Amino acid sequence: MSEFKSGFVAMLGRTNVGKSTLVNLLVGEKIAATANKVQTTRTAIRGIVNRENSQIIFIDTPGIHKPKTKLNETMIETSFGVIKDIDLKGKRVFVRCDFNVPMDENQNITDNRRIVGALPTIKYLLDNECKVILCSHLGRPKGQVKKEFSLAPVAKELSKQLGQEVLMAEDVVGESAQKLAENLQPGQVMLLENVRFHKEETDNDPEFAKKLASFGDIFVNDAFGTAHRAHASTEGVAHYLPAVSGFLIEKELKFLGEALENPERPFVAILGGKKVSDKIGVIDSLLEKVDTLMIGGGMAYTFFKSMGYNVGNSICELDKLDLAKSLMEKAKAKGVKLMLPVDTKVGKEFKEDTESKTVKYTEIPDGWEGFDIGAETIKMYQDELSKAKTVIWNGPLGLFEFDQFAIGTNAIAEYLGNLENVTTVIGGGDSAAAIEKLGIGDKFTHISTGGGASLEFLEGKKLPGVECLLDK
């Protein structure tokens, strides 16, 4: 495109040229783009109209909408581009990863699953002789530089996994990061310090996003765990660079999307967790899709209370009793089998070695708190799962952090892992942590790396970190 002068008009019509590749060329020029019968991307349009002396024109022909007040209102939703869709050879590639990994008090990484999940994308970029600039957050430093949230241990682990040194910047957009980036060679990898050391990250500050974008020629988002956040490094950067997904986000949405939209039936969903209010949208959405919905965890007690039963000291949202009733009514109207525990393991206190016993769900005594599903419920759920062909699970079925109340979660996990010819998708977060703790992660079709993101995807919400990517 270098031979074209400012003012060159590009007409995007039906073409065999990959649209992502073409758009990458166009946004680098001071041009006017005419879009005709092409699923133009909102990112490309932003890139074009942000250029000096550039404009965008829509031809009024069948198959293309004339723009309304806002350009993004005219966009046609399509699948997003992935790194393999564009030419990356020798480019500077800015990659948002999710390295928000758990560490012990000595900053030793206790679960490297998210680091391992990013390897296919990073290795692909290295194979294409890219200069790779990685960024991530870790924990919640709330805009302050705190040593305990440094990504230095991640750089060390990533170096080990890649078999080459990952250069670690001492800051995010400061002198150290700038110097490392300037001297970075093709086939080398560097990691910026924790982006949340800057308040501007979570504020999605445009100037901060622009500074981050200055590190790359192309933006790759591979952080599914933060795809539901519109932050500077997950969404803001895409305003200034051509943006595509890495292999991890592609994989996540493939498994979650196919399980939801084209499941082999019977389709069973298992939902755990503390509160009904955290899962309202998910329950509502799943009732439109599943054949059976199993409830466990703390939110089961709100359902019991709504049915008129005593729940003792168990977690219970008194302001959500009508909601629980309406969800049960909706399940009945939709022909969905909504299953609640028939017995529960209760404890006297919230501690690991507390006195405990198993009681019927209708007989929870005063002064006791429900912490797990009982043996009868385990058997009932396993019998139902034996008929399933697709299973999605989000949220533990009990207080799995305490061994005596992890029995239900572990029993269901082990049973699911041993089922044959069944698609099993684990929606990240605590349910994934429980399975990894058992060491049986390889027995499941897919374990998501994103708890909150997978939850919002199951709910049917759009993910800002995906919406900002170039269309294919």
Side-chain angles (χ1 to χ4, degrees):
M1 299 293 290
S2 58
E3 68 269 29
F4 295 111
K5 305 296 183 183
S6 177
F8 165 68
V9 176
M11 295 187 71
L12 305 184
R14 288 179 176 172
T15 173
N16 291 326
V17 178
K19 288 191 284 293
S20 294
T21 303
L22 186 57
V23 159
N24 290 345
L25 295 171
L26 294 179
V27 296
E29 306 297 322
K30 293 180 179 179
I31 60 168
T34 301
N36 181 16
K37 286 189 177 180
V38 63
Q39 291 171 328
T40 316
T41 78
R42 57 178 69 80
T43 303
I45 286 174
R46 275 198 298 263
I48 293 167
V49 298
N50 284 339
R51 300 282 175 179
E52 185 183 353
N53 298 326
S54 297
Q55 59 180 312
I56 184 158
I57 305 163
F58 284 79
I59 292 177
D60 187 16
T61 57
I64 191 78
H65 296 285
K66 291 183 74 176
K68 299 178 184 177
T69 306
K70 295 181 180 178
L71 285 172
N72 62 9
E73 291 176 3
T74 72
M75 296 300 96
I76 301 168
E77 292 299 323
T78 65
S79 58
F80 53 87
V82 184
I83 53 174
K84 63 178 181 288
D85 297 325
I86 60 175
D87 178 20
L88 294 157
K89 198 80 171 177
K91 297 257 175 59
R92 298 179 306 148
V93 182
F94 183 74
V95 189
R96 179 45 155 107
C97 298
D98 180 13
F99 294 146
N100 187 29
V101 293
M103 297 185 191
D104 62 21
E105 62 276 6
N106 298 315
Q107 285 196 295
N108 295 310
I109 295 168
T110 56
D111 181 356
N112 70 353
R113 189 162 46 95
R114 288 181 169 178
I115 295 173
V116 172
L119 294 178
T121 292
I122 298 170
K123 287 179 178 178
Y124 178 85
L125 295 173
L126 293 175
D127 289 343
N128 279 272
E129 299 175 14
C130 297
K131 299 176 182 180
V132 184
I133 300 92
L134 307 175
C135 81
S136 177
H137 78 286
L138 176 66
R140 295 179 177 176
K142 297 181 179 179
Q144 299 177 41
V145 177
K146 296 182 178 180
K147 187 178 178 181
E148 64 268 29
F149 294 116
S150 171
L151 285 170
V154 171
K156 184 178 177 181
E157 175 65 20
L158 192 55
S159 298
K160 177 183 170 185
Q161 293 292 332
L162 286 172
Q164 71 176 70
E165 183 184 8
V166 173
L167 304 170
M168 183 69 207
E170 295 174 4
D171 49 34
V172 182
V173 291
E175 185 179 345
S176 172
Q178 294 290 345
K179 189 174 180 180
L180 274 181
E182 286 169 11
N183 295 321
L184 201 66
Q185 299 301 306
Q188 285 191 313
V189 185
M190 65 173 281
L191 175 62
L192 302 180
E193 196 38 288
N194 192 338
V195 287
R196 289 192 188 172
F197 282 173
H198 290 259
K199 181 177 178 291
E200 295 91 339
E201 160 67 5
T202 52
D203 290 344
N204 199 3
D205 179 77
E207 289 305 312
F208 184 65
K210 196 180 290 185
K211 288 178 183 178
L212 292 175
S214 71
F215 286 111
D217 303 311
I218 291 166
F219 172 50
V220 174
N221 190 5
D222 212 25
F224 183 69
T226 54
H228 60 311
R229 306 291 189 196
H231 291 171
S233 68
T234 61
E235 193 272 345
V237 175
H239 291 251
Y240 307 104
L241 292 175
V244 292
S245 91
F247 295 126
L248 180 60
I249 280 187
E250 180 189 37
K251 179 184 175 185
E252 290 276 11
L253 297 185
K254 175 180 180 290
F255 279 107
L256 289 169
E258 287 183 2
L260 281 177
E261 301 305 327
N262 191 29
E264 190 175 354
R265 297 185 181 274
F267 178 18
V268 178
I270 308 169
L271 284 183
K274 290 181 181 179
K275 298 178 179 179
V276 176
S277 57
D278 293 338
K279 303 278 172 82
I280 294 170
V282 179
I283 295 172
D284 209 42
S285 176
L286 288 175
L287 286 176
E288 302 286 342
K289 303 176 187 295
V290 302
D291 301 298
T292 301
L293 178 60
M294 298 176 178
I295 300 291
M299 66 176 171
Y301 303 100
T302 298
F303 282 91
F304 296 156
K305 187 72 174 178
S306 75
M307 297 159 68
Y309 299 114
N310 184 43
V311 295
N313 292 343
S314 305
I315 290 173
C316 180
E317 295 177 279
L318 295 176
D319 61 335
K320 295 294 184 289
L321 300 185
D322 287 341
L323 173 66
K325 286 179 184 177
S326 70
L327 291 171
M328 287 188 284
E329 289 167 2
K330 179 174 179 176
K332 187 176 180 180
K334 294 282 182 183
V336 174
K337 189 174 184 180
L338 178 62
M339 301 180 72
L340 292 162
V342 292
D343 60 346
T344 181
K345 191 171 186 180
V346 296
K348 265 286 191 183
E349 299 176 76
F350 189 89
K351 60 180 185 178
E352 192 158 7
D353 60 350
T354 187
E355 179 187 353
S356 63
K357 61 183 178 180
T358 300
V359 298
K360 290 182 178 180
Y361 76 100
T362 56
E363 298 174 2
I364 299 172
D366 289 334
W368 293 72
E369 185 172 353
F371 290 129
D372 197 8
I373 57 174
E376 283 185 47
T377 302
I378 292 171
K379 177 69 167 58
M380 179 178 73
Y381 283 6
Q382 287 175 342
D383 288 346
E384 187 69 17
L385 290 168
S386 69
K387 309 167 197 170
K389 286 296 180 183
T390 304
V391 180
I392 284 182
W393 181 8
N394 187 285
L397 302 178
L399 188 62
F400 79 99
E401 296 90 345
F402 294 169
D403 287 346
Q404 72 157 325
F405 300 120
I407 294 170
T409 298
N410 292 349
I412 296 300
E414 288 170 347
Y415 187 82
L416 264 184
N418 288 322
L419 289 177
E420 296 183 357
N421 302 315
V422 180
T423 298
T424 49
V425 178
I426 310 303
D430 287 339
S431 43
I435 286 165
E436 293 298 333
K437 188 177 177 181
L438 287 171
I440 58 172
D442 59 342
K443 292 188 174 184
F444 295 83
T445 309
H446 179 65
I447 298 179
S448 177
T449 57
S454 63
L455 203 60
E456 293 203 10
F457 186 80
L458 292 176
E459 192 173 334
K461 289 184 177 179
K462 293 185 183 299
L463 306 179
V466 174
E467 290 295 298
C468 68
L469 304 177
L470 292 175
D471 301 330
K472 282 187 178 179

